[in-house]
């Protein structure tokens, strides 16, 4: 299948060695399971229907291939975030499990958790991984990936200094600008100025600047920009889009803007 070439190449530059082999096994087993299930249901060879390498193309790669690369990135960087504070919290693992279950089904969860366990014992060069992600994903996809990672750190309801530091390093590694990274973090932190941080402006901004910032952020975070990653990722993007809207409504209420 065409997807295998893309997955293998992506794995090669993301991690290599034992990590690459683990993730390769993970995705290989998913594709085989998907094809077997389709054949059992009378769906032919499954090459066009499998959820991990279908034929629909967007740009140079199939939508399935883009979803696979997004998931590989998430798993590798999830490990970096989870281990940032020196401990593995069940709430963080549950967050990742939920994402995998929604996107790849229950069959994928055990393999993914085993990979995360193996990754926990490996050194991960965030900047090496991040530079390759930046080269192979568009900006909107990277922004959505970062949103998931911040969600992992916030899964237990509290950021620690080490997690914030790792997330800031990841943001730089995947080439997000500082304002965008701060905006995503502010979606989870709630304080007097967090609504302004979400819109990437300061509390001293004029009403017109607030309106302009909202339009800019609404366009930047629109769910359609990650549509090729699949419906579940797009659903998560809708949540991020709503947070932009909520921030704008909060500021409008505070200022009495119509």
């Amino acid at each position: 299948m065409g997807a295998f070439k893309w997955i293998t190449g992506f794995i090669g530059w993301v991690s290599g060695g034992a990590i690459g082999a683990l993730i390769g096994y993970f995705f290989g087993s998913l594709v085989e399971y998907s094809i077997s299930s389709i054949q059992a249901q009378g769906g032919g060879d499954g090459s066009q229907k499998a959820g991990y390498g279908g034929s629909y193309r967007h740009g140079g790669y199939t939508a399935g291939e883009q979803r696979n690369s997004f998931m590989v990135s998430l798993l590798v960087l999830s490990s970096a975030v989870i281990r940032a504070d020196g401990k593995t919290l069940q709430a963080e693992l549950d967050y990742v499990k939920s994402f995998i279950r929604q996107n790849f089904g229950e069959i994928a969860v055990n393999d993914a958790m085993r990979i995360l366990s193996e990754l926990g014992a490996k050194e991960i060069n965030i900047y090496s991984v991040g530079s390759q992600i930046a080269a192979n994903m568009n900006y909107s996809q990277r922004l959505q990936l970062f949103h998931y990672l911040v969600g992992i750190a916030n899964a237990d309801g509290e950021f620690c200094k080490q997690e914030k530091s790792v997330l800031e390093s990841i943001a730089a590694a995947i080439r997000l600008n500082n304002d965008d990274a701060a905006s995503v973090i502010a979606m989870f932190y709630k304080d007097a100025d967090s609504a302004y941080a979400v819109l990437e402006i300061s509390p001293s901004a004029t009403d017109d600047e607030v309106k302009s910032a909202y339009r800019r952020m609404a366009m930047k975070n629109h769910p359609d920009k990650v549509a090729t990653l699949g419906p579940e990722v797009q659903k998560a993007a809708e949540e991020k889009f709503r947070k932009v809207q909520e921030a704008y409504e909060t500021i409008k209420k505070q200022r009495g803007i119509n």
Side-chain angles (χ1 to χ4, degrees):
M1 294 174 63
F4 285 118
K5 181 177 180 181
W6 170 245
I7 294 169
T8 302
F10 191 95
I11 290 168
W13 57 252
V14 165
S15 52
I19 298 176
L22 283 168
I23 299 177
Y25 168 77
F26 173 55
F27 279 107
S29 65
L30 287 180
V31 175
E32 289 173 6
Y33 176 84
S34 179
I35 293 174
S36 296
S37 296
I38 292 167
Q39 289 175 331
Q41 296 170 18
D45 65 7
S47 61
Q48 301 301 317
K49 298 182 181 181
Y52 312 103
S55 62
Y56 170 69
R57 285 193 172 272
H58 180 85
Y61 303 109
T62 67
E65 289 163 357
Q66 290 188 19
R67 289 188 66 200
N68 287 348
S69 65
F70 184 85
M71 177 60 83
V72 172
S73 305
L74 183 74
L75 283 172
V76 174
L77 295 182
S78 289
S79 176
V81 175
I82 288 171
R83 58 199 277 200
D85 58 1
K87 55 187 177 182
T88 301
L89 300 177
Q90 189 59 46
E92 294 171 337
L93 293 177
D94 288 344
Y95 182 96
V96 177
K97 283 181 183 179
S98 177
F99 175 84
I100 293 167
R101 183 176 292 111
Q102 290 172 351
N103 284 272
F104 288 89
E106 189 65 37
I107 189 67
V109 174
N110 288 339
D111 282 337
M113 291 302 103
R114 184 165 60 251
I115 286 172
L116 279 179
S117 178
E118 294 289 341
L119 286 170
K122 307 293 181 183
E123 288 298 323
I124 296 174
N125 186 321
I126 289 173
Y127 288 94
S128 176
V129 174
S131 66
Q132 296 297 330
I133 288 170
N136 286 273
M137 287 186 178
N138 67 41
Y139 195 84
S140 295
Q141 292 171 340
R142 282 178 271 145
L143 194 59
Q144 187 62 33
L145 174 61
F146 188 67
H147 180 262
Y148 275 112
L149 294 170
V150 177
I152 293 172
N154 191 57
D156 62 344
E158 182 179 355
F159 276 106
C160 71
K161 182 178 180 180
Q162 297 93 327
E163 287 171 328
K164 186 173 184 294
S165 177
V166 167
L167 285 165
E168 288 171 345
S169 295
I170 289 173
I174 64 177
R175 300 174 194 167
L176 297 182
N177 69 51
N178 291 337
D179 287 342
D180 283 343
S183 172
V184 174
I185 291 173
M187 292 176 183
F188 295 86
Y189 281 118
K190 299 298 179 183
D191 58 31
D193 295 333
S194 62
Y196 289 95
V198 169
L199 296 187
E200 300 184 2
I201 53 177
S202 72
S204 63
T206 66
D207 289 354
D208 285 342
E209 288 172 336
V210 169
K211 292 176 182 178
S212 272
Y214 168 67
R215 288 193 293 270
R216 182 180 68 252
M217 294 302 292
M219 182 176 295
K220 181 187 295 185
N221 291 283
H222 199 282
D224 286 351
K225 290 184 176 293
V226 293
T228 58
L229 296 180
E232 292 298 337
V233 174
Q234 192 170 18
K235 182 178 179 181
E238 289 169 0
E239 177 188 346
K240 180 156 58 73
F241 184 72
R242 282 194 298 272
K243 289 183 181 295
V244 171
Q245 293 176 311
E246 289 169 5
Y248 182 52
E249 292 301 321
T250 296
I251 296 173
K252 284 173 61 179
K253 185 176 180 180
Q254 290 173 349
R255 295 186 173 209
I257 300 174
N258 294 322

